[in-house]
Amino acid sequence: MLPAGADRPTHDPTPAELGEGTLLPAHPDAVLDRFARLGTLALGTPVALVSMVSRHGQVFPGAVGLPEPWQSARQTPLSHSLCQHVVASGKAFAVDDARLDPLTADSLAIPDLNLVAYAGAPLRLPDPRTGLTEPTAPVVGVLCAIDDAPRRWTPGELGVLDDLAAACSAELGLRLLEERNRLLLSLGDALVATRTVEEVTATVAAVTRSELGGARSGLLLPDGRDRLRSSDLSPLPPGTPGTWRTVDLDAPLPVAAAARERRPHLFSDLAALRAAFPGAGVREAPGFAASAYLPLLVQDRLVGVLVLVWESERQTLEAEAEVWSALARFTAQALDRAQLEGERRSRAAVLQAALLPRLPEATGRLTVRGRYVPATREEQIGGDWYDVVVGASGSVALVLGDVAGHDMAAAATMAQVRGLLRAFVWDGARSPAEPVRRLDRALPGLGVDGLATLVLACVEETADGFALRWTNAGHPPPVLLHPDGRTELLDGAPDLLVGLLPDSPRHEHTAPVPPGATLLLYTDGLIEHRGRSLAGGVERVRESLRRNRSASLDELLDELLAELVGTRGEDDCALLAVRFP
């Protein structure tokens, strides 16, 4: 039953006793309108409200029977609010005739809302772990009944109002739980696709901003030196000290305390934060009110701290502890996965760089440039390679190859194939076909199990300039860019892949190279994409070469990759470009 006597309020609430914001806005809510209607039917009053109060006024997401314009506006200033006494005290409040009570006699609700008798019961959110509403839970609203004539509220009527308030509280708790489940589902779905720390940071920021009432988020990561560092350089919330970007773990700050103690620190408003951490240095600012500091743990190993900041007070933070725990768990798992993938990609990049040769400077008068771009996969390593071999006699051989596979095993096989072929070429091969034939025989003899396509071209000087002699083992044809912009496919009939048959015949092809021409060798990652034929890919290569014929080799290769591969290549891609004087 509502206590309406001994503990009644004695004064109007101060701003400090009321929150900065309300759980719901001043918009009609069909479900809460039904609770208000039940209130009028159960207590026989013309008006009932589901009211929410802040220091800026009160709003009515549930309302039945208010005179206009209040019924449509769904809000009034505090001068019209008796519900503020319930919110500030945390207790029920009833008055038989507000005109005669010193506490309420001056309220503008009396003339404007036709308020004479009033009874209000607090709405509190239930604990999501137990479903029970604790008497100490924050008051998030009021269910009240209003009569336009004096009346003595009976214990039975006040008990009915109390029961309705409990049912309305349960509805609000269930709604909040559904919203938080939606948040976690959205976050979980979005984090599945993240592969880097930057993507995790951006995803958490976007989801919390849209699903958590505009909350701003930030991630701080351990740097291995007893400090936490911000994972990005986006602007900090207003009022936040710039020193929060790098925080010592022993600092008297909430983010450091969350990391040290391995537990969340939740503050419903700025006053609560300052009381707990007087030296935090947070200034009064419109963009900083409630905040949460959540340790990100993977099997008790700290991988970071998630900081959430709201622009308004949030009295429900403690009641949503399970949500913050799940949010931290999802983020920690995604962050740990991204960090592991980052380390793996870094190792793969180092390995791939070590496997690719350093292009020689001593290539006569030729200018050579190479590129390797891994596919957007976890390993970021594969079997594509380019090579330029200056033989013992000074001859120059160009190699572009692709071992089947897109993983560490393919890279290992590529290293063996490339090493053998380099040795055979350097050893004074008299033709491009000869070292490839030797490679065919060597692979099974040395137990190297793998298939590869490749082009090996020897550069020969002639009286008129240069000529190419090449052999093609199942590889896309090289393209020769003439100085006038004309392109020529060096598409002699290719032979079988290397490693397929030890005694496979190898054929050679020749072509003159005019002065100023550019030769491009490439793997199929440049031309093979979903929705595009191989012939269409080759034609796009030729078009790009024609447009950029006056560019430097570096610019030419960059344009090719930008136009045909972009930022999300489906396959590894290796390029080798040679410009003849």
Side-chain angles (χ1 to χ4, degrees):
M1 186 178 71
L2 293 173
D7 294 329
R8 71 189 308 274
T10 58
H11 65 280
D12 287 335
T14 64
E17 294 176 282
L18 300 174
E20 181 69 24
T22 57
L23 184 64
L24 296 175
H27 296 150
D29 184 298
V31 174
L32 299 186
D33 277 346
R34 277 198 286 273
F35 275 101
R37 191 172 299 110
L38 285 172
T40 63
L41 295 174
L43 279 79
T45 59
V47 178
L49 308 172
V50 176
S51 169
M52 296 182 180
V53 182
S54 74
R55 65 188 61 170
H56 306 292
Q58 64 178 350
V59 299
F60 311 121
V64 170
L66 277 176
E68 293 293 352
W70 315 107
Q71 180 67 33
S72 297
R74 296 290 177 127
Q75 59 184 327
T76 71
L78 287 180
S79 57
H80 293 64
S81 174
L82 269 64
C83 292
Q84 63 179 308
H85 298 296
V86 179
V87 174
S89 67
K91 300 174 181 177
F93 173 65
V95 60
D96 297 342
D97 191 334
R99 298 169 300 180
L100 305 179
D101 192 300
L103 183 64
T104 59
D106 295 331
S107 174
L108 294 182
I110 296 172
D112 290 350
L113 307 183
N114 298 327
L115 185 152
V116 177
Y118 170 92
L123 302 177
R124 306 176 190 271
L125 293 180
D127 187 327
R129 294 165 294 187
T130 64
L132 302 177
T133 302
E134 300 294 335
T136 56
V139 177
V140 297
V142 179
L143 177 63
C144 70
I146 297 172
D147 207 332
D148 55 6
R151 66 183 293 168
R152 182 170 295 280
W153 300 101
T154 69
E157 290 171 333
L158 299 178
V160 168
L161 186 61
D162 198 18
D163 290 341
L164 284 176
C168 189
S169 295
E171 163 63 27
L172 292 174
L174 181 61
R175 181 179 303 186
L176 196 60
L177 183 61
E178 290 174 348
E179 291 174 357
R180 297 304 166 254
N181 286 340
R182 189 163 56 248
L183 158 71
L184 296 176
L185 183 61
S186 298
L187 184 62
D189 287 345
L191 286 175
V192 166
T194 57
R195 301 177 63 249
T196 66
V197 172
E198 292 75 16
E199 289 177 356
V200 172
T201 302
T203 298
V204 172
V207 173
T208 54
R209 195 87 171 150
S210 63
E211 301 285 349
L212 274 180
R216 300 182 66 169
S217 70
L219 282 174
L220 286 91
L221 312 178
D223 68 355
R225 291 179 290 180
D226 293 329
R227 288 183 301 189
L228 297 168
R229 287 186 180 274
S230 175
S231 64
D232 69 354
L233 296 178
S234 57
L236 294 169
T240 310
T243 52
W244 279 29
R245 289 200 182 278
T246 302
V247 176
D248 291 335
L249 284 176
D250 59 357
L253 297 174
V255 64
R260 289 193 307 268
E261 301 166 13
R262 302 293 204 269
R263 67 177 182 87
H265 283 253
L266 309 174
F267 305 100
S268 58
D269 54 33
L270 189 55
L273 170 61
R274 284 175 161 173
F277 294 92
V282 183
R283 304 185 308 276
E284 289 281 358
F288 197 119
S291 57
Y293 307 84
L294 311 176
L296 306 179
L297 304 174
V298 176
Q299 297 179 345
D300 204 39
R301 175 172 54 88
L302 183 76
V303 297
V305 176
L306 173 61
V307 178
L308 301 171
V309 175
W310 286 267
E311 296 178 356
S312 59
E313 294 177 1
R314 194 175 185 87
Q315 300 299 328
T316 61
L317 274 183
E318 293 288 350
E320 299 172 273
E322 290 296 314
V323 174
W324 312 131
S325 175
L327 176 63
R329 187 167 59 253
F330 284 12
T331 306
Q333 292 168 352
L335 184 59
D336 187 50
R337 184 179 65 248
Q339 290 172 332
L340 289 174
E341 289 188 7
E343 293 172 3
R344 183 164 57 244
R345 284 193 299 271
S346 178
R347 290 193 297 269
V350 171
L351 176 59
Q352 186 73 55
L355 293 175
L356 291 173
R358 180 181 300 173
L359 294 179
E361 299 293 337
T363 54
R365 293 178 292 151
L366 305 179
T367 303
V368 295
R369 294 289 187 273
R371 291 284 192 278
Y372 172 79
V373 179
T376 51
R377 300 182 312 272
E378 291 185 4
E379 297 294 348
Q380 291 204 316
I381 193 169
D384 292 18
W385 88 95
Y386 57 79
D387 206 351
V388 176
V389 182
V390 179
S393 63
S395 62
V396 177
L398 314 171
V399 183
L400 203 292
D402 183 358
V403 169
H406 307 289
D407 52 21
M408 290 286 187
T413 302
M414 178 270 286
Q416 297 180 76
V417 171
R418 181 177 67 84
L420 287 170
L421 190 58
R422 281 175 65 87
F424 296 151
V425 171
W426 184 87
D427 195 32
R430 293 183 298 275
S431 72
E434 180 183 344
V436 179
R437 281 193 291 266
R438 294 177 67 183
L439 182 64
D440 266 328
R441 292 193 298 271
L443 291 179
L446 295 174
V448 179
D449 185 16
L451 299 175
T453 68
L454 63 85
V455 171
L456 195 160
C458 293
V459 179
E460 300 176 346
E461 290 208 44
T462 67
D464 299 326
F466 293 90
L468 282 178
R469 296 178 66 200
W470 78 91
T471 187
N472 188 328
H475 201 79
V479 180
L480 186 63
L481 172 65
H482 290 253
D484 60 3
R486 182 170 54 91
T487 59
E488 177 184 356
L489 275 185
L490 304 184
D491 56 355
D495 299 323
L496 290 177
L497 282 66
V498 171
L500 197 59
L501 294 175
D503 297 317
S504 175
R506 297 295 169 189
H507 302 89
E508 294 183 0
H509 313 277
T510 61
V513 179
T518 300
L519 176 69
L520 177 71
L521 296 91
Y522 54 91
T523 57
D524 56 7
L526 184 67
I527 60 173
E528 193 173 47
H529 297 275
R530 278 190 291 269
R532 182 197 307 166
S533 68
L534 288 178
V538 172
E539 186 54 40
R540 289 190 64 187
V541 170
R542 300 177 73 171
E543 290 175 3
S544 180
L545 290 175
R546 283 193 290 266
R547 282 197 310 273
N548 298 289
R549 62 181 180 275
S550 300
S552 69
L553 284 188
D554 288 316
E555 294 169 340
L556 186 73
L557 294 180
D558 290 343
E559 286 296 323
L560 274 169
L561 291 172
E563 293 176 20
L564 276 81
V565 177
T567 59
R568 299 190 64 82
E570 298 170 16
D571 195 0
D572 305 310
C573 179
L575 306 177
L576 183 65
V578 184
R579 180 154 291 167
F580 294 82

